[in-house]
Short mmCIF file of all heavy atoms in Angstrom, two decimals:
data_model
loop_
_atom_site.label_atom_id
_atom_site.label_comp_id
_atom_site.label_asym_id
_atom_site.label_seq_id
_atom_site.Cartn_x
_atom_site.Cartn_y
_atom_site.Cartn_z
N ASP A 548 86.78 79.87 135.32
CA ASP A 548 85.47 79.24 135.10
C ASP A 548 84.34 80.15 135.58
O ASP A 548 83.31 80.29 134.91
CB ASP A 548 85.38 77.89 135.83
CG ASP A 548 86.27 76.84 135.17
OD1 ASP A 548 86.69 77.08 134.02
OD2 ASP A 548 86.54 75.81 135.80
N GLU A 549 84.55 80.77 136.75
CA GLU A 549 83.53 81.69 137.30
C GLU A 549 83.38 82.92 136.40
O GLU A 549 82.27 83.40 136.16
CB GLU A 549 83.92 82.10 138.72
CG GLU A 549 83.81 80.97 139.74
CD GLU A 549 84.46 81.28 141.07
OE1 GLU A 549 85.53 81.94 141.09
OE2 GLU A 549 83.90 80.87 142.09
N ILE A 550 84.53 83.40 135.88
CA ILE A 550 84.50 84.57 134.98
C ILE A 550 83.74 84.20 133.70
O ILE A 550 82.93 84.98 133.19
CB ILE A 550 85.93 85.07 134.67
CG1 ILE A 550 86.54 85.70 135.93
CG2 ILE A 550 85.94 86.06 133.50
CD1 ILE A 550 88.03 86.00 135.84
N GLU A 551 83.98 82.98 133.17
CA GLU A 551 83.30 82.54 131.95
C GLU A 551 81.79 82.43 132.16
O GLU A 551 81.00 82.83 131.29
CB GLU A 551 83.86 81.19 131.49
CG GLU A 551 83.33 80.77 130.13
CD GLU A 551 84.02 79.54 129.56
OE1 GLU A 551 85.23 79.62 129.28
OE2 GLU A 551 83.33 78.52 129.38
N ILE A 552 81.36 81.91 133.32
CA ILE A 552 79.92 81.79 133.63
C ILE A 552 79.27 83.17 133.63
O ILE A 552 78.20 83.38 133.06
CB ILE A 552 79.71 81.06 134.99
CG1 ILE A 552 80.09 79.57 134.83
CG2 ILE A 552 78.27 81.20 135.47
CD1 ILE A 552 80.32 78.83 136.14
N GLN A 553 79.98 84.15 134.25
CA GLN A 553 79.44 85.52 134.29
C GLN A 553 79.39 86.13 132.88
O GLN A 553 78.40 86.77 132.52
CB GLN A 553 80.32 86.38 135.22
CG GLN A 553 79.86 87.83 135.37
CD GLN A 553 78.44 87.97 135.91
OE1 GLN A 553 77.99 87.16 136.72
NE2 GLN A 553 77.72 88.99 135.46
N ALA A 554 80.45 85.89 132.08
CA ALA A 554 80.49 86.43 130.71
C ALA A 554 79.34 85.87 129.88
O ALA A 554 78.74 86.58 129.07
CB ALA A 554 81.84 86.09 130.06
N LYS A 555 79.01 84.58 130.08
CA LYS A 555 77.89 83.96 129.36
C LYS A 555 76.57 84.64 129.75
O LYS A 555 75.71 84.89 128.91
CB LYS A 555 77.83 82.46 129.66
CG LYS A 555 78.86 81.65 128.86
CD LYS A 555 79.03 80.25 129.37
CE LYS A 555 77.91 79.33 128.95
NZ LYS A 555 78.15 77.94 129.36
N LYS A 556 76.44 84.96 131.05
CA LYS A 556 75.22 85.66 131.52
C LYS A 556 75.11 87.03 130.85
O LYS A 556 74.03 87.54 130.64
CB LYS A 556 75.26 85.83 133.04
CG LYS A 556 74.97 84.54 133.82
CD LYS A 556 75.07 84.82 135.31
CE LYS A 556 74.98 83.52 136.12
NZ LYS A 556 75.36 83.74 137.52
N GLU A 557 76.27 87.61 130.56
CA GLU A 557 76.29 88.96 129.96
C GLU A 557 76.31 88.92 128.44
O GLU A 557 76.66 89.89 127.78
CB GLU A 557 77.50 89.75 130.50
CG GLU A 557 77.35 90.04 131.99
CD GLU A 557 78.56 90.75 132.58
OE1 GLU A 557 79.48 91.13 131.81
OE2 GLU A 557 78.59 90.94 133.81
N GLY A 558 75.97 87.75 127.85
CA GLY A 558 75.78 87.68 126.39
C GLY A 558 76.92 87.12 125.58
O GLY A 558 76.87 87.19 124.35
N MET A 559 77.95 86.56 126.23
CA MET A 559 79.05 85.99 125.45
C MET A 559 78.66 84.61 124.92
O MET A 559 78.16 83.77 125.67
CB MET A 559 80.32 85.87 126.30
CG MET A 559 81.50 85.29 125.51
SD MET A 559 83.01 85.07 126.48
CE MET A 559 82.74 83.43 127.16
N MET A 560 78.87 84.40 123.63
CA MET A 560 78.66 83.08 123.03
C MET A 560 80.01 82.35 123.12
O MET A 560 81.01 82.87 122.64
CB MET A 560 78.24 83.25 121.56
CG MET A 560 77.74 81.96 120.93
SD MET A 560 77.33 82.17 119.16
CE MET A 560 75.68 82.78 119.22
N THR A 561 80.05 81.18 123.76
CA THR A 561 81.32 80.46 123.89
C THR A 561 81.75 79.91 122.53
O THR A 561 80.95 79.84 121.59
CB THR A 561 81.23 79.29 124.88
OG1 THR A 561 80.35 78.31 124.33
CG2 THR A 561 80.74 79.74 126.25
N MET A 562 83.01 79.48 122.47
CA MET A 562 83.55 78.97 121.21
C MET A 562 82.76 77.76 120.70
O MET A 562 82.47 77.64 119.52
CB MET A 562 85.00 78.58 121.41
CG MET A 562 85.82 78.88 120.20
SD MET A 562 87.58 78.81 120.42
CE MET A 562 87.90 78.84 122.12
N LEU A 563 82.40 76.87 121.62
CA LEU A 563 81.64 75.68 121.25
C LEU A 563 80.26 76.07 120.72
O LEU A 563 79.78 75.53 119.71
CB LEU A 563 81.51 74.74 122.45
CG LEU A 563 80.94 73.35 122.19
CD1 LEU A 563 81.73 72.61 121.13
CD2 LEU A 563 80.90 72.52 123.47
N GLU A 564 79.63 77.04 121.40
CA GLU A 564 78.31 77.53 120.95
C GLU A 564 78.41 78.18 119.57
O GLU A 564 77.55 77.98 118.72
CB GLU A 564 77.75 78.53 121.98
CG GLU A 564 77.28 77.86 123.26
CD GLU A 564 77.01 78.83 124.40
OE1 GLU A 564 77.43 80.01 124.32
OE2 GLU A 564 76.38 78.42 125.39
N ASP A 565 79.51 78.92 119.36
CA ASP A 565 79.71 79.56 118.05
C ASP A 565 79.92 78.50 116.98
O ASP A 565 79.47 78.66 115.84
CB ASP A 565 80.90 80.52 118.10
CG ASP A 565 80.96 81.42 116.88
OD1 ASP A 565 79.88 81.82 116.40
OD2 ASP A 565 82.06 81.72 116.40
N GLY A 566 80.59 77.40 117.35
CA GLY A 566 80.78 76.29 116.41
C GLY A 566 79.47 75.66 116.00
O GLY A 566 79.22 75.40 114.82
N VAL A 567 78.58 75.45 116.98
CA VAL A 567 77.24 74.89 116.69
C VAL A 567 76.46 75.87 115.81
O VAL A 567 75.77 75.48 114.88
CB VAL A 567 76.49 74.56 118.00
CG1 VAL A 567 75.05 74.13 117.71
CG2 VAL A 567 77.21 73.47 118.78
N PHE A 568 76.63 77.17 116.09
CA PHE A 568 75.99 78.23 115.31
C PHE A 568 76.42 78.11 113.84
O PHE A 568 75.59 78.16 112.93
CB PHE A 568 76.43 79.58 115.90
CG PHE A 568 75.83 80.80 115.24
CD1 PHE A 568 74.65 81.34 115.70
CD2 PHE A 568 76.46 81.41 114.16
CE1 PHE A 568 74.10 82.47 115.09
CE2 PHE A 568 75.92 82.52 113.54
CZ PHE A 568 74.74 83.05 114.02
N GLN A 569 77.75 77.92 113.60
CA GLN A 569 78.27 77.78 112.23
C GLN A 569 77.73 76.50 111.58
O GLN A 569 77.48 76.45 110.38
CB GLN A 569 79.80 77.71 112.24
CG GLN A 569 80.50 78.81 113.00
CD GLN A 569 80.84 80.02 112.14
OE1 GLN A 569 80.36 80.14 111.03
NE2 GLN A 569 81.63 80.92 112.67
#
Side-chain angles (χ1 to χ4, degrees):
D548 290 344
E549 290 168 323
I550 291 169
E551 187 171 296
I552 290 163
Q553 181 58 34
K555 282 167 77 175
K556 285 179 188 168
E557 293 177 6
M559 181 182 88
M560 191 183 275
T561 67
M562 216 167 344
L563 189 56
E564 287 167 345
D565 193 36
V567 174
F568 182 91
Q569 309 269 12

